[in-house]
């Protein structure tokens, strides 16, 4: 699912919590990081491709909550 303009991360949680989201390029360089607040239930976070300053390729997205739950996903950015 390549992204040209925006992409979304959706998270469903059973309780309110905080998470740290990190975006890496394929070589492991940190491109962007953000702390997010997750509410109980469905959460949707929008990330504009423009905030990655011209980067094209595969992003590795690592999410870690304050309850030590972790998930890594991949997103392709094309221009």
């Amino acid at each position: 699912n390549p992204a040209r303009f925006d992409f979304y991360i959706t998270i469903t949680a059973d309780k309110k919590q905080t998470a740290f989201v990190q975006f890496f390029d394929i070589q492991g360089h940190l491109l962007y990081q953000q702390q997010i607040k997750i509410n109980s239930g469905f959460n949707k976070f929008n990330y504009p491709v423009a905030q990655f300053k011209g980067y094209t390729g595969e992003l590795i997205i690592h999410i870690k909550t304050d309850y030590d739950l972790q998930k890594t996903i991949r997103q392709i950015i094309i221009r």
Side-chain angles (χ1 to χ4, degrees):
N1 56 344
R4 286 186 190 268
F5 304 106
D6 293 7
F7 62 92
Y8 301 91
I9 295 175
T10 58
I11 300 171
T12 302
D14 59 352
K15 57 188 160 196
K16 189 175 179 178
Q17 54 194 299
T18 302
F20 197 61
V21 183
Q22 296 177 303
F23 297 83
F24 298 92
D25 67 14
I26 198 67
Q27 285 125 4
H29 300 109
L30 181 65
L31 300 174
Y32 180 75
Q33 59 187 355
Q34 177 184 39
Q35 186 174 0
I36 58 174
K37 302 283 185 191
I38 299 171
N39 294 312
S40 177
F42 181 79
N43 299 263
K44 185 176 181 179
F45 302 93
N46 178 41
Y47 292 94
V49 167
Q51 82 183 44
F52 296 99
K53 300 177 181 131
Y55 179 76
T56 300
E58 187 171 8
L59 285 176
I60 310 299
I61 305 165
H62 184 75
I63 304 165
K64 182 179 180 187
T65 72
D66 51 1
Y67 292 102
D68 285 329
L69 298 172
Q70 297 186 49
K71 177 147 182 117
T72 301
I73 54 179
R74 295 174 184 262
Q75 174 66 52
I76 305 288
I77 293 182
I78 58 175
R79 303 255 178 213

